[in-house]
Amino acid sequence: MSEAWQPSAAIETLLQRAHLLERTRAFFKERGVVEVQTPTLDRYGVTDVAIENIVVPAYGYLQSSPEFHMKRLLAAGMPSCFQINPAFRAGETGRWHNPEFTMLEWYRLGFGLAELMAEVAALVDWLLGPAKVRSMTLGELVLDAFGLNVYSPSEKAVRAVCRDEGLENPRDLHEAMDFLIERAIANLGIERLFLTDYPSDQAALAKVATRGGRRVALRFELIVDGLEIANGYDELRDVNEYQRRCKQDNDRRRLLGLPQKLKNPLFEAAMAAGLPDCCGVAVGLDRLFALALGKHGLHEVLAFTAS
Amino acid sequence: MASYSTNEFRPGLKVLLEGEPCTMLESEFVKPGKGQAFTRVKFRNLISGRVWERTLRSGETMQAADVIDRELDFLYSDGDFWHFMTTDGNYDQVAVGAAAIGEAKDFLAEQSRCQITFWDDNPIAVVPPNFVELTVTETDPGLRGDTAQGGTKPATLETGAVVNVPLFIEIGDMLRIDTRKGEYVSRTKQ
C-alpha cells in the first residue's frame, strides 16, 4: 500500500462534514444541553474486556470514551451535557473502524431510557432525514435469527450454530454470543433498529433490572443500515456494583490472557459522592456522518485515517 | 511456511483453508462496541472455484499457501492431459490433468498463452487468454440472405466446444471467441 499525503476524504465531503457538525451542535443548543470538554489522556483506562486502550508511556491511556470524566462532572453538579471529541481504541482498523474516531457522548439528568432513545432517534432524523425506527429486544433478535435463548443459552447449541455460521472454535460462550449477535444484526436488513434488554453480563456501566422474570441490562443500541451507531445506558450509580464488575472484567481478562486494568479510583470516589440519576449515550459520529453523506467507509469522511 | 495474522489479511492473499489453497476475495474487520473483534473473510477455493466464508477471531493466523501464477503456451492435448510449454526460454513441458484444466479446455487454441496456477509446483488451474481464435468443425449450412436478420445457430469448434454464431458462419471459418463469456465475437478469416 502506497501512502498518499492527500486527505482520504474529498474536500467537498469535509465541507459537508463541517456543516453536519454545526447541525449536531445546534440540535443540543436547542435542547439546552451544554457542550463540555474533558481530557483524552488520563492515568486510568477501562476494564472492559472487549476494549483495549492505547497506552501512552509515562502518562497512562488515551481515553476510549469520555464517560468517566463526564460522570465526574455530573457528580460535581454539571447539568445535562454533551461532548464531541476523539476516542481511541487499540487494534480497531477496518472499513468502519479507526483507532481514533469521533465520539459524541451526552448525558441527560432525570431522563429514563425511553426518553433518551426518543432523543437519539430525533438526532438521527435531524441528520439523516426521518425514517421509521423499529425496536426489539436482544432476546427476540437472537431467537428469530438462530432459535437460541440469549439470556440462558445452551453452550452446545450455541457452538453448533457458530459452526454453521462460519466460526469454528469460539473460546467461550461470550465470544460465541458476540459473534452470533453481530451476524444476526448483519442479516437483519432493517434500516433503523433499537436493540434493548441486553443480558445482565453485558451491562458494562448500565443498571440491571428484572424484566419478564429475567435479569437484563438497562441498555440499548441503535443500529442503522446494519452499523452500530449508538450505545446508551440507564447509568449505574451503585459504587459497590461498579467494583464488582471491574473485578469480573479482570477475571475474564486473566482467562483470555489480556492485561489487567485498574479500576478508576476518581470515578469510584465520584460515584460514592453521588452520581445523579441519569441516562447517557455514545454515538459513533463518523459513522453517522458517513451514513448521512451516503459514504461507504470511515476513510471517506475522515480527513486522514490512521496509517 | 509463512503465516498471516488477521491484521495482514488483504484481497489476493493465498492461504490454506481446510488444507486447500484459497485466494482471499475480501476481508472485513467487525467488532461490536462492547464485544469481541472478528475478521470476516471471503475466500475462493483455487481448486474447486467455490467461495467460502469464514470468521476468524482477531489475532488468529492462517498458513500461507505456496501458490504462484505463471504464463505457459498451450501445445496440444492427448485426450488425458493438456501439454504446455514454459515461456522462460527453457522450453520445459508441463502436463495438466482434466481436473485442473476444467472449462478452460473448451477454449485452448494452439500456441495460446495461458495463465496457470501452481500450488506446491502442481498445476491446479488454467486461465486461457481473454480472446482466442478457433476453427469451426461442424455447423448447419447457413442460409444466404439471412445475415440482416441477426439469427444464430450452434457451431462446434475444434476443441469440441459449442458456441452460438451468426447464420453466415461455415465449416472451416476461423472465429474470434471471448473465453470469459464463451461467446462468438467475429469471423477472422474464411
Side-chain angles (χ1 to χ4, degrees):
Chain A
M1 266 180 266
S2 66
E3 281 201 56
W5 62 264
Q6 292 92 345
S8 63
I11 294 299
E12 191 195 342
T13 306
L14 295 175
L15 296 177
Q16 290 170 314
R17 183 187 168 105
H19 179 65
L20 287 170
L21 264 174
E22 281 173 24
R23 280 179 69 82
T24 306
R25 290 199 159 93
F27 178 89
F28 290 105
K29 184 165 188 183
E30 193 184 295
R31 284 167 170 74
V33 180
V34 66
E35 181 164 7
V36 296
Q37 285 187 295
T38 62
T40 50
L41 178 60
D42 192 77
R43 266 180 299 155
Y44 298 96
V46 289
T47 57
D48 286 56
V49 177
I51 295 175
E52 278 315 315
N53 289 114
I54 294 176
V55 179
V56 182
Y59 287 93
Y61 304 92
L62 292 172
Q63 298 296 285
S64 57
S65 112
E67 181 166 17
F68 293 138
H69 286 117
M70 289 182 80
K71 286 181 179 172
R72 282 166 64 188
L73 287 179
L74 296 172
M78 179 67 74
S80 293
C81 53
F82 79 98
Q83 173 155 220
I84 295 172
N85 73 342
F88 300 83
R89 295 182 183 188
E92 302 194 9
T93 303
R95 194 150 63 94
W96 294 109
H97 294 266
N98 195 54
E100 175 177 356
F101 60 101
T102 313
M103 187 176 268
L104 160 64
E105 180 145 324
W106 78 95
Y107 291 87
R108 285 298 223 152
L109 301 186
F111 265 39
L113 216 47
E115 287 168 282
L116 185 62
M117 285 163 72
E119 192 161 71
V120 170
L123 174 71
V124 174
D125 283 351
W126 173 246
L127 294 176
L128 265 59
K132 189 173 152 28
V133 190
R134 283 187 50 189
S135 184
M136 65 167 78
T137 67
L138 202 68
E140 289 166 338
L141 174 81
V142 175
L143 188 67
D144 288 357
F146 303 117
L148 294 172
N149 181 342
V150 80
Y151 305 107
S152 52
S154 124
E155 180 152 354
K156 200 176 156 205
V158 170
R159 283 185 182 274
V161 176
C162 277
R163 207 168 305 123
D164 291 347
E165 292 292 313
L167 181 70
E168 285 297 332
N169 283 308
R171 284 178 297 189
D172 59 13
L173 204 50
H174 274 275
E175 183 170 286
M177 267 302 169
D178 284 347
F179 167 70
L180 291 179
I181 291 167
E182 195 280 328
R183 292 270 62 191
I185 290 169
N187 294 333
L188 207 58
I190 292 177
E191 194 184 349
R192 294 183 197 177
L193 171 73
F194 278 118
L195 286 172
T196 60
D197 291 15
Y198 279 66
S200 58
D201 63 353
Q202 291 185 33
L205 289 181
K207 282 178 193 155
V208 167
T210 303
R211 271 192 193 170
R214 281 190 295 263
R215 297 292 286 167
V216 298
L218 298 184
R219 248 185 82 181
F220 69 84
E221 287 197 8
L222 174 68
I223 311 295
V224 181
D225 292 339
L227 273 183
E228 181 186 329
I229 290 299
N231 196 348
Y233 301 165
D234 191 335
E235 301 292 350
L236 179 72
R237 298 166 65 204
D238 176 350
V239 66
N240 297 319
E241 179 64 14
Y242 167 65
Q243 290 160 346
R244 202 185 63 78
R245 290 183 194 175
C246 286
K247 185 181 176 307
Q248 204 172 32
D249 284 348
N250 273 320
D251 287 348
R252 189 154 176 258
R253 281 179 162 272
R254 195 171 297 115
L255 280 177
L256 297 175
L258 297 170
Q260 294 287 296
K261 300 291 274 292
L262 291 174
K263 61 181 191 284
N264 186 323
L266 299 173
F267 173 63
E268 200 174 13
M271 275 186 111
L275 181 68
D277 198 12
C278 63
C279 283
V281 60
V283 168
L285 205 55
D286 303 315
R287 286 186 184 174
L288 192 56
F289 287 174
L291 293 175
L293 299 173
K295 302 300 178 190
H296 302 99
L298 293 188
H299 62 283
E300 291 188 72
V301 292
L302 290 173
F304 302 97
T305 53
S307 49
Chain B
M1 196 75 217
S3 62
Y4 301 110
S5 176
T6 50
N7 60 12
E8 299 171 287
F9 286 5
R10 60 182 185 278
L13 217 57
K14 308 288 195 293
V15 293
L16 288 177
L17 181 58
E18 295 184 14
E20 298 195 354
C22 294
T23 184
M24 263 181 212
L25 300 176
E26 53 183 69
S27 135
E28 181 149 27
F29 178 84
V30 289
K31 182 185 180 304
K34 297 284 178 189
Q36 172 78 38
F38 299 100
T39 302
R40 192 155 60 229
V41 193
K42 268 190 190 154
F43 306 90
R44 176 175 290 116
N45 183 313
L46 289 169
I47 293 176
S48 69
R50 276 203 294 271
V51 174
W52 284 350
E53 201 173 321
R54 287 288 186 283
T55 301
L56 287 94
R57 177 185 314 126
S58 281
E60 272 193 288
T61 58
M62 294 190 80
Q63 211 185 333
D66 181 11
V67 169
I68 186 168
D69 291 330
R70 288 160 65 193
E71 290 197 322
L72 285 88
D73 289 335
F74 175 60
L75 296 175
Y76 65 97
S77 167
D78 60 21
D80 295 322
F81 288 94
W82 283 256
H83 298 269
F84 293 81
M85 189 169 65
T86 57
T87 54
D88 56 8
N90 292 327
Y91 307 107
D92 292 331
Q93 289 198 18
V94 173
V96 179
I101 208 90
E103 290 175 2
K105 72 175 192 310
D106 286 347
F107 303 109
L108 287 177
E110 269 177 42
Q111 306 299 322
S112 60
R113 184 152 294 187
C114 300
Q115 182 185 288
I116 301 190
T117 304
F118 292 84
W119 172 39
D120 291 342
D121 295 327
N122 298 310
I124 55 169
V126 176
V127 180
N130 292 345
F131 297 99
V132 291
E133 291 183 0
L134 292 164
T135 309
V136 176
T137 56
E138 206 181 314
T139 191
D140 289 338
L143 298 168
R144 293 275 169 206
D146 263 0
T147 52
Q149 310 242 338
T152 62
K153 60 178 183 178
T156 307
L157 305 174
E158 57 185 296
T159 57
V162 177
V163 293
N164 279 322
V165 299
L167 298 178
F168 61 82
I169 297 296
E170 294 170 354
I171 292 173
D173 281 353
M174 181 83 87
L175 307 184
R176 187 171 167 80
I177 304 291
D178 183 333
T179 64
R180 292 162 298 186
K181 300 185 238 167
E183 282 175 6
Y184 163 91
V185 179
S186 62
R187 178 169 60 176
T188 58
K189 58 183 160 197
Q190 280 175 284

